[in-house]
Amino acid sequence: NGRLELNAGERKYCDYGPMKKGPVLKRDIKIGERIDHSDVCFKRTGTRTDLGQIHAIALLGGQASRDMDVGTTLRVSDFTECS
């Protein structure tokens, strides 16, 4: 089918969390609000995420899909659209 598949080790390495920096909110965000570069910092976190630094930067400007508190580690599903 021409698709590239990741093996289990590669999928695990794609997770961001312990010992890898993930995007973390610097302020509370309400559903529908745009998430801007100034709202996010990158920290080593104990929470796993599917969103790395490069992908997070590409999603900035997108709207929040839910209410989130300061300190929330962002995931792809936390964005509803990109600008």
Side-chain angles (χ1 to χ4, degrees):
N1 68 7
R3 290 180 49 183
L4 294 175
E5 301 290 333
L6 299 177
N7 66 37
E10 290 168 327
R11 279 191 302 276
K12 182 174 180 179
Y13 189 77
C14 287
D15 287 344
Y16 293 85
M19 300 307 294
K20 292 186 181 179
K21 289 187 177 182
V24 177
L25 285 178
K26 293 170 33 177
R27 67 177 185 91
D28 294 343
I29 297 283
K30 298 292 182 192
I31 189 169
E33 193 173 343
R34 294 215 178 268
I35 302 173
D36 192 318
H37 184 272
S38 63
D39 300 323
V40 178
C41 61
F42 293 89
K43 295 182 179 182
R44 297 190 192 282
T45 174
T47 305
R48 292 201 178 277
T49 181
D50 56 355
L51 194 54
Q53 293 179 18
I54 293 171
H55 196 187
I57 290 168
L59 290 175
L60 291 176
Q63 292 180 336
S65 63
R66 63 188 180 102
D67 291 341
M68 294 175 278
D69 297 328
V70 64
T72 298
T73 301
L74 294 172
R75 300 186 55 81
V76 172
S77 61
D78 292 329
F79 293 85
T80 59
E81 67 175 52
C82 292
S83 59

